[in-house]
Amino acid sequence: MSIISKITSKATSAIPQQLSLKKPLPNRMLGQGGFMEMGATFHPPRTNSAQEILDSITLLGKNEQTKSENLTSELIKYAKEILGIDLEKEAKNSNIFDTVMRIFQTQAAKFKNLGRRFTPAEQKMADQLNNFKSLGLNAKAAEIKAQEIQEFLTHADKMPQRHLSLAQDLIDLSNTHAFINTNIFPSIDFNTIGMTKGNKYSTIMGYLLNLLPKISKENPRAVDLAEAVVTHTDDANSKFFLSHFLESAPNAPEQARLTEKLIPTFAKDILKGMPSMDLGPDCKENIFFKLITHLCSKDSKPENLKILDELLKMTDKISKRTNPAINIDEIRLGDTKVIRRNMEAMPYLLENAEAQGKNVDASGFLTKNVNLE
């Protein structure tokens, strides 16, 4: 049995023959052109039925299977015609992905310690080896993803429509290649292959898909919140947020519900412009993630989150030229009675500050001042 027939027999067994859709639902992550427009924020939430989304995900799995078969054929041809290697023979008793990596490492080692610049012939060979490795990684990722999608479908039938829509978004995020995320940040490239605790290969997409059914059942508001983030932000932030949030989402349903209402405002204010070129602790994607995580934590006071929503709407309406300071932790953790009482005077404070062109400490006033004196 050839490598391709092995893939085909393994990947087709769980795909139903009768589906309501002829092709998958549109990828909400794709913009109209250029990486600046990538993300579901440019597309409305899905209104398709749960069954339609399940059928769409099934077709996406089939697409990954076909992609794997095509890439494997291309890989075998490339190995034979460019590198002079019979890959099927080399991989007869081992995994094709492991075989590709073994061949790459063996050949690349010849160039590692030359101690001089490559000759044109050596550079050509090095480029060919890198192309060979890249083809192998892509073929393996598609094979793994096809299996991961099938595995997800065996646990997905009880999930609500909105959570299934997020599952499709996870798959779609693995099939977007905005410039900013290509090879620069492998930790949020959903096609990146790693090893799970069970000593099994997994893509980042598959790892997150595997979490969804359990979280959907045990912490559904967190999945609602994650879906709202994807809907209101670009693809780069969606990848960063989901890869950090899903495995450790706070289980605080009321706080998550109230935080969800705040996402459009914070997304607009924090995530302006291009995605970050450095995903370190101070990048805007991490600031957004930490902010949302703090707000939906159990220690946030629900009534205070409602007041925060009111305050943000108030400042958006009144403060056109000025920029009132708002410390989120001061408000979400503060004395609710004091904050509510001082909110009565907040419109006047903001209007006076706007008239004078001054920035005021809005959260400081709400939490520490019991009157205007």
Side-chain angles (χ1 to χ4, degrees):
M1 183 180 287
S2 72
I3 292 171
I4 296 174
S5 62
K6 288 179 188 177
I7 294 171
T8 305
S9 61
K10 189 167 23 176
T12 54
S13 58
I15 296 179
Q17 298 303 308
Q18 298 297 323
L19 299 172
S20 63
L21 302 174
K22 299 296 182 183
K23 60 182 181 179
L25 298 171
N27 185 335
R28 288 203 302 161
M29 301 303 135
L30 298 178
Q32 300 304 311
F35 65 88
M36 289 289 288
E37 293 187 354
M38 299 288 279
T41 186
F42 296 94
H43 303 274
R46 291 187 183 86
T47 57
N48 309 87
S49 69
Q51 187 58 53
E52 286 176 323
I53 298 174
L54 283 170
D55 288 353
S56 177
I57 292 173
T58 301
L59 290 170
L60 288 171
K62 189 172 183 179
N63 287 350
E64 292 295 341
Q65 169 205 324
T66 301
K67 180 180 177 182
S68 177
E69 294 167 10
N70 292 339
L71 286 172
T72 301
S73 293
E74 187 178 344
L75 182 65
I76 293 169
K77 183 179 179 182
Y78 188 91
K80 186 173 184 178
E81 295 181 358
I82 305 299
L83 301 179
I85 296 171
D86 186 338
L87 189 57
E88 288 192 287
K89 183 178 180 181
E90 290 284 340
K92 186 175 182 181
N93 298 313
S94 61
N95 178 285
I96 186 172
F97 174 66
D98 292 336
T99 303
V100 168
M101 295 307 294
R102 174 175 55 79
I103 292 171
F104 172 80
Q105 290 165 0
T106 301
Q107 297 296 322
K110 299 176 182 178
F111 300 98
K112 192 172 183 181
N113 298 311
L114 286 178
R116 57 171 171 76
R117 296 184 64 177
F118 291 174
T119 65
E122 289 168 342
Q123 185 61 59
K124 181 179 180 181
M125 183 62 181
D127 291 342
Q128 290 171 344
L129 282 171
N130 283 327
N131 290 338
F132 176 65
K133 177 185 176 183
S134 180
L135 266 174
L137 285 170
N138 291 337
K140 185 61 180 179
E143 177 190 352
I144 294 172
K145 285 166 65 180
Q147 295 164 9
E148 290 169 337
I149 291 170
Q150 286 183 21
E151 176 62 24
F152 168 77
L153 288 168
T154 64
H155 303 285
D157 58 328
K158 297 284 196 314
M159 290 174 63
Q161 185 268 0
R162 189 178 183 187
H163 298 179
L164 290 170
S165 183
L166 178 62
Q168 165 132 4
D169 286 340
L170 280 167
I171 300 168
D172 287 344
L173 281 165
S174 74
N175 292 314
T176 58
H177 302 286
F179 167 77
I180 203 72
N181 286 330
T182 303
N183 298 324
I184 300 176
F185 304 127
S187 63
I188 60 166
D189 178 350
F190 281 19
N191 294 300
T192 298
I193 301 171
M195 296 290 284
T196 65
K197 292 179 180 178
N199 201 35
K200 180 181 177 183
Y201 288 123
S202 172
T203 66
I204 293 178
M205 178 211 78
Y207 175 74
L208 297 175
L209 271 183
N210 185 56
L211 295 174
L212 263 189
K214 186 173 188 292
I215 306 174
S216 175
K217 181 179 180 180
E218 298 177 0
N219 192 4
R221 284 292 186 186
V223 183
D224 290 346
L225 179 61
E227 193 276 338
V229 168
V230 172
T231 294
H232 289 97
T233 65
D234 64 14
D235 72 311
N237 183 73
S238 295
K239 290 177 180 180
F240 185 94
F241 186 89
L242 293 171
S243 60
H244 288 76
F245 181 77
L246 284 180
E247 68 177 352
S248 58
N251 195 341
E254 182 64 4
Q255 287 86 341
R257 182 184 71 82
L258 293 167
T259 299
E260 185 182 335
K261 296 181 179 181
L262 301 168
I263 285 172
T265 298
F266 287 123
K268 180 181 66 176
D269 291 344
I270 297 173
L271 302 172
K272 296 176 182 176
M274 290 178 58
S276 298
M277 292 299 290
D278 177 5
L279 290 179
D282 297 325
C283 74
K284 62 186 178 181
E285 290 82 3
N286 194 42
I287 291 171
F288 177 84
F289 162 70
K290 286 187 173 180
L291 173 64
I292 299 302
T293 304
H294 284 177
L295 287 170
C296 69
S297 296
K298 289 182 178 181
D299 60 350
S300 290
K301 299 178 181 179
E303 187 62 27
N304 292 23
L305 295 182
K306 295 176 185 177
I307 296 172
L308 178 59
D309 189 24
E310 295 172 24
L311 176 62
L312 292 172
K313 290 175 180 176
M314 189 183 297
T315 56
D316 189 53
K317 181 179 179 181
I318 297 173
S319 304
K320 303 298 183 183
R321 297 184 300 120
T322 55
N323 187 25
I326 302 174
N327 183 306
I328 299 301
D329 279 341
E330 285 184 355
I331 294 179
R332 74 182 185 90
L333 301 173
D335 187 315
T336 305
K337 290 183 179 179
V338 171
I339 294 173
R340 175 56 72 188
R341 182 165 60 241
N342 287 327
M343 268 295 284
E344 296 176 9
M346 183 54 69
Y348 306 105
L349 182 70
L350 294 176
E351 287 167 359
N352 288 334
E354 183 73 5
Q356 297 175 45
K358 294 182 179 180
N359 294 326
V360 294
D361 182 358
S363 55
F365 173 78
L366 287 176
T367 57
K368 299 181 181 70
N369 293 277
V370 292
N371 55 53
L372 284 173
E373 295 179 359

